[in-house]
Amino acid sequence: MRVIGIGDNVVDRYTNKRIMFPGGNAVNFAAYAAQCGADSAYLGVIADDKEGRLVRDSLIETGVDVSKSPLKTGLATERCDVILKDGDRVFTGCSYGEGEYRTLTLSEENLRYLERFDVIHCGCYASMEDEIKKLQDLRAVRTYDFSSEEEYRTEDYLEKVCPYIDIALFSAEEMTEQQTEKLRKQVTRLGTKLVLITNGTKGQKLWDGSREYSGKVKLVEPVDTMGAGDSFFTAFVISMVKSGYDREKAVTVEMTDRAFSEAADFSARTCLVEGAFGFGTSY
């Protein structure tokens, strides 16, 4: 199985420790997919600065192919500042170094490259919502993380993304059951096949347009919750595709039960690692 994360890369700077870690939704997906045993790659704009080199080197060491993402001079990596409170990461702000911050625009060369993959993952923080429609003719299962912010749930935003993806992830700890039900129906009506909604320690729900499937949380005493959601979604998608899921096939209880279980185990292990997937360095 060949999978790829496309889009954002950042460093997560733990300001109370003066240590930074590689991160970003697409980077995390690629790293976690490699840890799950998939043939994994990352495609994005990586700045040739200290932070960008950390991101690229960590992906290479994790076994992720970054051959199509050379370092770019004159650019800056986004720095996300966080602190830990009892193992839970809390974001406090973001900044950039010297240079331009640039997002990925999918070229014809990029799209030919993406034809090789079975899973293509992107997320809202990549600022690629206007690019996603370019994936419509590719055979891969296309996944997208909408995170938790309201700005990524507006009608306009959903209409840009949902017709061109197969599996959507939403974090909904602040939403009521009525709100999540309305959201998932809206997303599937726009064309997305599966909607996975996570709700913190309350568990997860998968919706296929007609039936709901439930997951469970594996509770651990976390060292660091950075990447908990990304790791859960990555392991869930990898398990589903390994079980034979594609955009033309209906899901089964056996398929989803296995995916929920494997994702819970993998996410729990991720919470015992500092940073999203390690590789901390001082700054």
Side-chain angles (χ1 to χ4, degrees), residues 139-157:
R139 66 174 181 82
V141 172
R142 301 151 303 174
T143 67
Y144 198 90
D145 189 337
F146 290 85
S147 194
S148 61
E149 291 92 333
E150 286 297 322
E151 65 186 289
Y152 304 121
R153 297 176 187 181
T154 65
E155 185 72 26
D156 180 63
Y157 192 90

Side-chain angles (χ1 to χ4, degrees), residues 59-165:
L59 286 172
I60 292 171
E61 192 166 339
T62 306
V64 176
D65 179 5
V66 294
S67 59
K68 299 297 183 179
S69 302
L71 295 174
K72 300 287 189 179
T73 59
L75 303 183
T77 304
E78 183 177 3
R79 305 162 174 174
C80 298
D81 289 344
V82 299
I83 58 173
L84 283 181
K85 290 185 177 180
D86 299 323
D88 190 20
R89 89 286 187 271
V90 178
F91 288 97
T92 60
C94 67
S95 62
Y96 302 88
E98 295 183 3
E100 177 188 358
Y101 176 73
R102 188 181 301 170
T103 58
L104 177 66
T105 299
L106 293 173
S107 65
E108 288 300 321
E109 180 182 356
N110 293 152
L111 293 172
R112 287 193 296 272
Y113 173 61
L114 292 174
E115 289 176 352
R116 309 176 186 179
F117 294 91
D118 302 299
V119 178
I120 301 171
H121 175 77
C122 190
C124 57
Y125 299 130
S127 299
M128 290 180 61
E129 55 272 9
D130 293 320
E131 295 290 301
I132 296 302
K133 61 185 177 183
K134 295 179 180 179
L135 304 177
Q136 61 182 323
D137 295 328
L138 299 182
R139 66 174 181 82
V141 172
R142 301 151 303 174
T143 67
Y144 198 90
D145 189 337
F146 290 85
S147 194
S148 61
E149 291 92 333
E150 286 297 322
E151 65 186 289
Y152 304 121
R153 297 176 187 181
T154 65
E155 185 72 26
D156 180 63
Y157 192 90
L158 295 176
E159 287 179 351
K160 288 182 177 181
V161 178
C162 293
Y164 311 109
I165 62 171

Side-chain angles (χ1 to χ4, degrees), residues 3-282:
V3 306
I4 188 167
I6 64 173
D8 59 324
N9 63 85
V10 307
V11 291
D12 298 311
R13 302 197 307 180
Y14 288 55
T15 56
N16 54 336
K17 295 185 175 183
R18 302 294 297 178
I19 298 175
M20 64 180 181
F21 296 88
N25 182 260
V27 163
N28 291 348
F29 185 92
Y32 294 141
Q35 292 176 357
C36 288
D39 185 356
S40 181
Y42 170 75
L43 177 65
V45 180
I46 307 180
D48 189 8
D49 54 16
K50 181 179 180 180
E51 294 86 354
R53 290 189 291 274
L54 173 63
V55 169
R56 196 171 192 273
D57 290 347
S58 67
L59 286 172
I60 292 171
E61 192 166 339
T62 306
V64 176
D65 179 5
V66 294
S67 59
K68 299 297 183 179
S69 302
L71 295 174
K72 300 287 189 179
T73 59
L75 303 183
T77 304
E78 183 177 3
R79 305 162 174 174
C80 298
D81 289 344
V82 299
I83 58 173
L84 283 181
K85 290 185 177 180
D86 299 323
D88 190 20
R89 89 286 187 271
V90 178
F91 288 97
T92 60
C94 67
S95 62
Y96 302 88
E98 295 183 3
E100 177 188 358
Y101 176 73
R102 188 181 301 170
T103 58
L104 177 66
T105 299
L106 293 173
S107 65
E108 288 300 321
E109 180 182 356
N110 293 152
L111 293 172
R112 287 193 296 272
Y113 173 61
L114 292 174
E115 289 176 352
R116 309 176 186 179
F117 294 91
D118 302 299
V119 178
I120 301 171
H121 175 77
C122 190
C124 57
Y125 299 130
S127 299
M128 290 180 61
E129 55 272 9
D130 293 320
E131 295 290 301
I132 296 302
K133 61 185 177 183
K134 295 179 180 179
L135 304 177
Q136 61 182 323
D137 295 328
L138 299 182
R139 66 174 181 82
V141 172
R142 301 151 303 174
T143 67
Y144 198 90
D145 189 337
F146 290 85
S147 194
S148 61
E149 291 92 333
E150 286 297 322
E151 65 186 289
Y152 304 121
R153 297 176 187 181
T154 65
E155 185 72 26
D156 180 63
Y157 192 90
L158 295 176
E159 287 179 351
K160 288 182 177 181
V161 178
C162 293
Y164 311 109
I165 62 171
D166 304 296
I167 307 178
L169 172 66
F170 293 87
S171 177
E173 291 185 62
E174 305 302 322
M175 299 180 70
T176 65
E177 288 187 14
Q178 291 77 16
Q179 288 172 324
T180 58
E181 183 176 357
K182 178 182 177 181
L183 176 64
R184 72 189 189 184
K185 288 181 177 179
Q186 182 181 18
V187 170
T188 52
R189 186 177 69 249
L190 288 169
T192 301
K193 304 294 191 301
L194 301 177
V195 182
L196 179 62
I197 295 180
T198 61
N199 195 6
T201 57
K202 295 180 182 178
Q204 315 86 23
K205 302 288 186 181
L206 180 73
W207 174 252
D208 67 1
S210 60
R211 179 171 179 174
E212 182 180 88
Y213 306 82
S214 299
K216 296 181 180 179
V217 174
K218 183 174 183 179
L219 297 177
V220 296
E221 189 67 33
V223 171
D224 185 351
T225 59
M226 182 71 74
D230 292 350
S231 60
F232 184 93
F233 189 56
T234 304
F236 184 89
V237 170
I238 296 297
S239 179
M240 291 285 285
V241 176
K242 280 184 177 179
S243 294
Y245 173 77
D246 62 41
R247 66 179 64 171
E248 305 300 330
K249 183 177 292 186
V251 300
T252 65
V253 173
E254 292 77 17
M255 184 185 293
T256 58
D257 282 350
R258 181 182 301 110
F260 276 129
S261 177
E262 292 179 356
D265 287 342
F266 187 73
S267 180
R269 292 196 297 273
T270 299
C271 290
L272 302 179
V273 176
E274 289 188 314
F277 57 100
F279 297 96
T281 186
S282 60

